[in-house]
Amino acid sequence: MTELLRFATAGSVDDGKSTLIGRLLYDSKAIFDDQLEAVERSSKAMGADYTNLALLTDGLRAEREQGITIDVAYRYFATPRRKFIIADTPGHIQYTRNMVTGASTADLALVLVDARKGLVEQSRRHAFLASLLRIPHLVLCVNKMDLVDWSEERFEEIKDEFRAFASKLDITDLSFVPVSALHGDNVVTRSEHTPWYTGSSLLHHLEEVHIASDRNLIDTRFPVQYVIRPHSDDFHDYRGYAGTVAGGVVKPGDEVMVLPSGFTSTVAAVETMDGPLEEASTGQSVTVRLTDEIDVSRGDMICRPGNQPTVGQDIDAMICWMSEVLPLRARDKLVIKHTTRTARALVKHVQYRLDVNTLHRDDAADSLALNEIGRVQLRTTLPLFYDEYRRNRTTGSFILIDETTNTTVGAGMILGPSAPSPA
């Protein structure tokens, strides 16, 4: 099975994110002739004397008119070595929530900087957000190298500056590539303009970056999404639990525990529509059958008896607030959706607001407005079965929903348990 890499692009306005993605799609022959013709027509209509490949991803009319990316544009392409899903995320600070959404499932973050401008505020903000979201791999693409005469000195200067900033963050794998997205240098193939650059092209790096070990294959986590009980005489005794493996490996013969009941059983079978599996690992959607008839419902968690998630109702979390209407304040009551479990949550305390540009903590803050990020204490009406976000991005994340409008107003990353409320 061909491996899938999800990556998110980010950068300041006019750094060339959409052009770079368009170049990747074009040079890897991942676009159709009619798509290219439509882009050529649109380019001429906008007065451009070249084919503007950025239009392959900038789909909203407002984006095309302003030449910026507002929404998260997802694109798919494949090479013989790997499949890719690209999230082209916005650069503006007012669309921080869009970037958090687009990058939340990414294996790799690709941050662009303009070789002429170097690192700007948005470059640092996007690197910080990639670190906050625990994206394992980060590539800094120094774009528009053709406009600085392919200067090795300029490339090294930007590298050194970014390394100094990244040392304050939790980034485990950092790479640098000098490119010209407009002309395709070092995007799909190595460029003759950079003989001093000894690394690989961007596409080759994306094909070769090792992501298999990024998945948590140690902590078995299976949130039950649906209980399958067919109303048929042929399947009278069938009882299966459908869901997506959120961590570790599940296979027949495993001794497991069901939370919150604490009952134990053994995995009888792991099945899909195509038949039984010898095992299922993180990210696979399967049905698990147990040898014992025990009470299991949607929202329960199947795990190993000797390796259980944290069970609790008081949590500390970093929250990105997404509501345009009301800020997040202490004593607010919201709905929390964590894996397949839904409960109500009370905001106990806003500990601080984080300035994503300077990394400064504002301890005096008592609320979070649209696109702001801060550390918050929550109390839930039902216990959650969670891991710290740094250990498992699925069981360590959640969304907050407004009860009256049913709209998603926040996304959170669990840091761990908080002190329980006083009696």
Side-chain angles (χ1 to χ4, degrees):
M1 187 173 69
T2 307
E3 194 173 41
L4 172 68
L5 174 77
R6 298 174 182 268
F7 69 95
T9 62
S12 183
V13 180
D14 294 332
D15 279 350
K17 299 186 308 297
S18 299
T19 302
L20 179 68
I21 294 172
R23 175 60 64 182
L24 272 172
L25 296 173
Y26 179 71
D27 285 0
S28 61
K29 298 177 173 55
I31 58 173
F32 297 110
D33 290 340
D34 58 339
Q35 288 178 298
L36 184 60
E37 289 171 5
V39 168
E40 288 173 344
R41 286 196 302 271
S42 296
S43 300
K44 290 179 181 177
M46 295 171 69
D49 57 359
Y50 62 93
T51 301
N52 186 354
L53 296 175
L55 299 182
L56 285 167
T57 55
D58 287 345
L60 298 179
R61 180 183 295 272
E63 292 180 352
R64 293 194 174 193
E65 290 174 351
Q66 298 177 51
I68 62 172
T69 301
I70 296 173
D71 202 2
V72 179
Y74 292 95
R75 290 295 180 269
Y76 168 89
F77 76 103
T79 67
R81 298 189 63 86
R82 190 171 262 176
K83 296 177 182 176
F84 302 93
I85 295 177
I86 314 169
D88 182 20
T89 62
H92 285 61
I93 189 168
Q94 65 262 40
Y95 304 118
T96 297
R97 60 177 178 173
N98 303 60
M99 186 196 166
V100 169
T101 302
S104 60
T105 58
D107 304 300
L108 180 146
L110 200 142
V111 178
L112 267 74
V113 299
D114 187 323
R116 299 167 301 175
K117 302 175 185 175
L119 292 188
V120 295
E121 188 176 89
Q122 285 167 303
S123 313
R124 294 181 175 87
R125 180 168 68 250
H126 294 146
F128 165 72
L129 289 173
S131 170
L132 182 70
L133 292 165
R134 299 286 168 187
I135 300 176
H137 310 277
L138 192 147
V139 178
L140 187 78
C141 278
V142 183
N143 191 25
K144 305 188 181 183
M145 287 295 296
D146 53 309
L147 301 181
V148 293
D149 296 325
W150 306 102
S151 168
E152 179 184 6
E153 182 181 354
R154 180 58 177 152
F155 177 66
E156 292 295 332
E157 185 181 314
I158 293 172
K159 268 180 66 173
D160 292 342
E161 186 180 358
F162 190 81
R163 279 192 193 279
F165 176 74
S167 66
K168 305 173 189 174
L169 308 176
D170 191 0
I171 297 174
T172 54
D173 176 36
L174 180 59
S175 304
F176 301 87
V177 185
V179 301
S180 169
L182 186 63
H183 301 292
D185 295 86
N186 287 331
V187 177
V188 171
T189 57
R190 288 282 305 276
S191 171
E192 60 183 21
H193 293 115
T194 54
W196 42 264
Y197 172 64
T198 57
S200 59
S201 69
L202 175 60
L203 181 60
H204 185 265
H205 179 79
L206 295 175
E207 287 181 323
E208 296 296 329
V209 64
H210 183 66
I211 60 172
S213 59
D214 298 333
R215 296 181 299 165
N216 185 329
L217 298 177
I218 299 171
D219 307 318
T220 299
R221 304 287 186 262
F222 186 75
V224 176
Q225 182 173 354
Y226 186 71
V227 180
I228 301 175
R229 289 293 303 273
H231 298 287
S232 167
D233 292 337
D234 295 336
F235 297 94
H236 179 70
D237 296 326
Y238 187 95
R239 188 180 180 92
Y241 310 106
T244 301
V245 182
V249 176
V250 181
K251 58 182 184 296
D254 282 350
E255 185 185 1
V256 293
M257 174 183 282
V258 179
L259 297 175
S261 68
F263 289 127
T264 58
S265 184
T266 302
V267 176
V270 179
E271 302 168 335
T272 67
M273 288 291 289
D274 298 322
L277 299 178
E278 292 184 4
E279 65 175 36
S281 58
T282 306
Q284 286 186 270
S285 297
V286 296
T287 297
V288 173
R289 289 197 292 119
L290 304 179
T291 56
D292 303 280
E293 288 194 14
I294 56 180
D295 185 18
V296 182
S297 305
R298 173 182 169 85
D300 289 359
M301 175 78 76
I302 296 175
C303 60
R304 300 298 293 272
N307 183 340
Q308 302 173 36
T310 303
V311 180
Q313 294 175 252
D314 294 279
I315 59 173
D316 270 3
M318 295 298 295
I319 290 179
C320 175
W321 192 244
M322 301 177 173
S323 173
E324 300 174 352
V325 182
L326 294 171
L328 175 73
R329 297 183 185 277
R331 312 309 298 174
D332 282 354
K333 294 177 181 178
L334 301 158
V335 173
I336 186 168
K337 177 79 166 55
H338 173 259
T339 64
T340 58
R341 199 165 180 80
T342 302
R344 298 182 73 203
L346 172 70
V347 179
K348 289 163 53 181
H349 178 54
V350 177
Q351 292 178 270
Y352 59 78
R353 181 171 55 231
L354 196 63
D355 188 323
V356 294
N357 299 317
T358 64
L359 309 187
H360 172 71
R361 296 178 180 181
D362 182 2
D363 295 316
D366 60 358
S367 65
L368 297 179
L370 174 65
N371 289 312
E372 291 184 336
I373 294 174
R375 182 166 179 158
V376 174
Q377 291 182 344
L378 299 174
R379 167 84 175 179
T380 60
T381 54
L382 296 174
L384 304 182
F385 317 122
Y386 66 87
D387 299 280
E388 292 182 10
Y389 184 80
R390 65 186 303 126
R391 187 169 183 90
N392 188 313
R393 291 167 73 187
T394 301
T395 59
S397 61
F398 60 84
I399 60 171
L400 296 171
I401 300 167
D402 182 271
E403 287 184 288
T404 55
T405 62
N406 203 34
T407 56
T408 300
V409 291
M413 293 146 279
I414 299 174
L415 302 174
S418 63
S421 301

